[in-house]
């Protein structure tokens, strides 16, 4: 399961979510990071069923949006690291946690700052406020040259 994290410094295994550097390293704008349920290209376990498919579709929606808008991000696979999974569970605010169980990915963070879950991301997409949701400065539309 994945969740997104973004920050001025993004995530690496060594520094985890608290000090993650942008790949370009030339900008101070935050970098989103996605925490997801499986590594890209890994097979979906047969017993995972409908929920895994729905989670995967949500994760792909977030990733496609970030890629289409050229927003740098990293995904963190919480199924491969108990430490990362516990970090996500611990850092989702109580009001966003389900009554039973743990929050499902994708969860989106800006460093240690919680941005929201998929539903919040989707609402921000619909209202054209994703950059604000992610804690990024809005980008100016580029003008086409005559």
């Amino acid at each position: 399961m994945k969740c997104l994290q973004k920050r001025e410094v993004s995530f690496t295994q060594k520094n985890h979510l608290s000090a993650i550097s942008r790949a370009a390293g030339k900008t101070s704008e935050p970098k989103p990071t996605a925490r997801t349920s499986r590594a890209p290209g890994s097979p979906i376990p047969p017993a995972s069923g409908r929920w895994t498919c729905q989670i995967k579709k949500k994760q792909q929606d977030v990733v496609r949006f970030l890629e289409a808008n050229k927003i740098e991000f990293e995904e963190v696979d919480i199924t491969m690291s108990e430490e990362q999974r516990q970090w996500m569970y611990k850092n989702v605010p109580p009001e966003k946690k389900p009554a039973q169980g743990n929050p499902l990915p994708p969860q989106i963070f800006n460093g240690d700052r919680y941005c929201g879950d998929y539903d919040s991301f989707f609402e921000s997409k619909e209202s054209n406020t994703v950059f604000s949701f992610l804690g990024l400065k809005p980008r100016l539309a580029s003008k086409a040259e005559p």
Side-chain angles (χ1 to χ4, degrees):
M1 309 227 166
K2 296 184 182 184
C3 68
L4 287 177
Q5 175 200 352
K6 56 185 184 47
R7 80 178 281 151
E8 294 184 42
V9 282
S10 225
F11 55 59
T12 63
Q13 190 166 351
K14 181 179 178 183
N15 296 353
H16 190 42
L17 303 168
S18 60
I20 301 164
S21 305
R22 292 180 64 82
K26 295 182 180 180
T27 178
S28 62
E29 186 173 311
K31 176 182 178 182
T33 309
R35 290 182 168 269
T36 62
S37 59
R38 64 184 193 88
S42 65
I44 297 175
S48 60
R50 177 188 269 173
W51 282 107
T52 300
C53 186
Q54 290 175 353
I55 290 169
K56 182 178 177 181
K57 286 179 181 180
K58 290 177 179 182
Q59 292 170 179
Q60 289 173 337
D61 185 38
V62 173
V63 168
R64 276 193 304 266
F65 177 86
L66 296 172
E67 289 174 341
N69 286 280
K70 297 182 180 3
I71 299 171
E72 292 183 37
F73 69 97
E74 284 187 58
E75 294 179 89
V76 173
D77 184 349
I78 65 167
T79 62
M80 303 304 285
S81 170
E82 180 65 23
E83 178 186 342
Q84 305 237 4
R85 182 173 32 257
Q86 292 305 319
W87 187 94
M88 183 187 85
Y89 295 158
K90 179 180 143 203
N91 288 287
V92 171
E95 65 273 8
K96 284 300 215 169
K97 291 182 179 177
Q100 294 181 0
N102 289 309
L104 295 175
Q107 298 293 325
I108 305 168
F109 295 86
N110 182 351
D112 293 337
R113 180 184 149 264
Y114 181 73
C115 297
D117 58 8
Y118 176 79
D119 293 334
S120 301
F121 170 79
F122 183 80
E123 289 173 23
S124 72
K125 248 177 51 171
E126 292 296 306
S127 63
N128 211 14
T129 60
V130 177
F131 285 91
S132 175
F133 169 79
L134 296 173
L136 301 172
K137 293 178 184 176
R139 295 190 178 159
L140 300 174
S142 60
K143 296 180 181 178
E145 294 188 30

